[in-house]
C-alpha cells in the first residue's frame, strides 16, 4: 500500500464504502475514511461529513451460506503513522466500533443526485484484535456484536405483552399525575396509581397516538423460536 497510488478513482456510478472508526467508547476520537478521493484530490463527502482518503483493503464481510458469523479483516495504510498513533494511545483500538456505510457514488456530496440519506443499511463491527502492524499497514480482525467474547443474548428477557420497566423509573419515564390502577381503572389517588404493564396501560399515560416507551415485544411470535 502506498499513500496515493492505491487510492481508487471516483467515477459517477457504482457503490462506494465509507468507514467510520468510532473510538468514543474507549475514550478516543471518531476517524472517518474511505479508499477514494475526488478527481481534484479533495476528500469524499457524504451528508456533509468528510471521509479522509487513505488506502485500505477489506475481506470477509460476506455472510456465507452456512450461516456462520463473518470475521472481516481490515487493512489500513500506515505510511503516515496515523493508525500507529491511535493504536499506541488507545490499546490497539480493541473494542472500537467500525461502521461500514455503502452508498452509490452518485449520491455523494457534489454530485448532481447528492442525497445524504440514500444508503444501504449500515454494517456495524467491532475491532477484536490487531493482527499486524508495520511501517506499511495495520491489519485488524473484526467481530460482530453477536460474536464478542463474553456477549450473551438476550440482554434482557423478551416478553410479548408485559413491560419490564419500573413504573415512573428508567425506561418508563412517565412523570405525570395519577392515571389508573394496575387494572387500568381510572384513579386520581397517588396511592392507587400503578401501571398494569400492558400496552393499554402505557397508552393511558402517554396518549393514544404517542410513541410509547412500552418495553415488551407485542410482535413476538413463539413460532419464530
Amino acid at each position: 500500500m502506498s499513500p496515493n497510488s492505491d487510492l481508487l478513482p471516483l467515477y459517477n456510478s457504482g457503490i462506494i464504502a465509507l468507514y467510520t472508526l468510532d473510538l468514543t467508547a474507549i475514550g478516543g476520537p471518531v476517524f472517518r475514511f474511505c479508499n477514494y478521493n475526488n478527481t481534484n484530490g479533495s476528500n469524499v463527502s457524504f451528508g456533509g461529513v468528510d471521509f479522509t482518503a487513505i488506502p485500505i483493503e477489506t475481506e470477509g464481510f460476506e455472510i456465507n451460506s452456512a450461516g456462520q458469523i463473518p470475521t472481516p479483516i481490515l487493512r489500513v495504510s500506515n505510511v503516515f503513522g496515523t493508525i500507529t498513533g491511535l493504536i499506541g494511545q488507545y490499546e490497539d483500538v480493541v473494542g472500537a466500533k467500525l461502521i461500514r456505510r455503502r452508498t452509490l457514488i452518485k449520491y455523494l456530496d457534489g454530485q448532481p443526485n447528492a442525497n445524504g440519506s440514500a444508503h444501504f443499511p449500515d454494517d456495524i463491527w467491532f475491532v477484536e484484535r490487531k493482527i499486524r502492524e508495520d511501517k506499511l499497514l495495520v491489519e485488524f480482525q473484526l467481530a460482530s456484536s453477536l460474536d464478542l467474547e463474553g456477549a450473551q443474548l438476550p440482554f434482557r428477557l423478551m416478553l410479548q405483552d408485559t413491560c419490564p420497566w419500573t413504573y415512573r423509573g428508567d425506561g418508563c419515564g412517565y412523570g405525570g399525575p395519577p392515571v389508573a390502577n394496575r387494572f387500568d381503572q381510572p384513579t386520581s389517588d397517588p396511592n392507587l396509581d400503578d401501571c398494569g404493564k400492558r400496552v393499554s396501560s402505557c397508552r393511558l399515560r402517554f396518549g393514544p397516538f404517542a410513541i410509547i416507551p412500552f418495553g415488551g415485544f407485542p410482535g413476538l411470535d413463539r413460532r419464530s423460536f
Side-chain angles (χ1 to χ4, degrees):
M1 292 183 180
S2 62
N4 293 312
S5 61
D6 288 330
L7 292 174
L8 302 178
L10 192 63
Y11 298 105
N12 290 324
S13 61
I15 297 175
I16 183 173
L18 308 171
Y19 297 89
T20 298
L21 184 63
D22 185 351
L23 283 71
T24 54
I26 56 176
V30 176
F31 180 50
R32 297 180 174 89
F33 56 96
C34 70
N35 206 31
Y36 296 78
N37 58 11
N38 290 310
T39 54
N40 63 3
S42 62
N43 287 329
V44 166
S45 180
F46 181 64
V49 177
D50 288 341
F51 291 81
T52 300
I54 183 170
I56 62 174
E57 293 177 352
T58 61
E59 63 178 74
F61 280 99
E62 297 77 14
I63 298 176
N64 59 46
S65 59
Q68 295 177 338
I69 299 175
T71 54
I73 300 297
L74 172 70
R75 302 182 186 94
V76 185
S77 173
N78 195 35
V79 173
F80 297 118
T82 302
I83 305 302
T84 287
L86 292 175
I87 287 173
Q89 189 172 359
Y90 300 104
E91 299 183 357
D92 290 347
V93 302
V94 171
K97 179 191 296 185
L98 181 81
I99 302 171
R100 183 179 72 150
R101 174 167 293 181
R102 294 176 299 154
T103 186
L104 297 181
I105 291 174
K106 68 179 182 179
Y107 294 137
L108 296 175
D109 295 354
Q111 300 293 329
N113 298 307
N115 185 346
S117 62
H119 59 83
F120 297 97
D122 290 344
D123 296 325
I124 299 178
W125 305 87
F126 294 85
V127 176
E128 184 174 43
R129 65 188 180 98
K130 181 188 71 177
I131 300 174
R132 170 187 172 187
E133 179 187 1
D134 56 37
K135 294 180 179 179
L136 294 179
L137 63 88
V138 179
E139 182 174 339
F140 299 102
Q141 180 175 308
L142 309 177
S144 80
S145 59
L146 300 180
D147 199 33
L148 293 177
E149 182 177 357
Q152 298 181 356
L153 287 176
F155 288 107
R156 63 182 176 89
L157 188 61
M158 297 177 69
L159 302 174
Q160 185 178 37
D161 299 315
T162 303
C163 179
W165 306 139
T166 300
Y167 182 42
R168 295 179 179 271
D170 291 341
C172 170
Y174 180 73
V179 175
N181 62 20
R182 63 189 181 94
F183 301 108
D184 289 347
Q185 298 170 337
T187 182
S188 58
D189 187 343
N191 296 320
L192 298 178
D193 183 48
D194 194 9
C195 183
K197 304 291 186 176
R198 295 174 289 271
V199 171
S200 58
S201 308
C202 211
R203 292 285 185 205
L204 286 174
R205 288 156 176 83
F206 293 94
F209 305 109
I211 298 176
I212 59 176
F214 183 72
F217 298 84
L220 194 64
D221 186 347
R222 289 182 179 274
R223 293 172 297 178
S224 64
F225 290 88

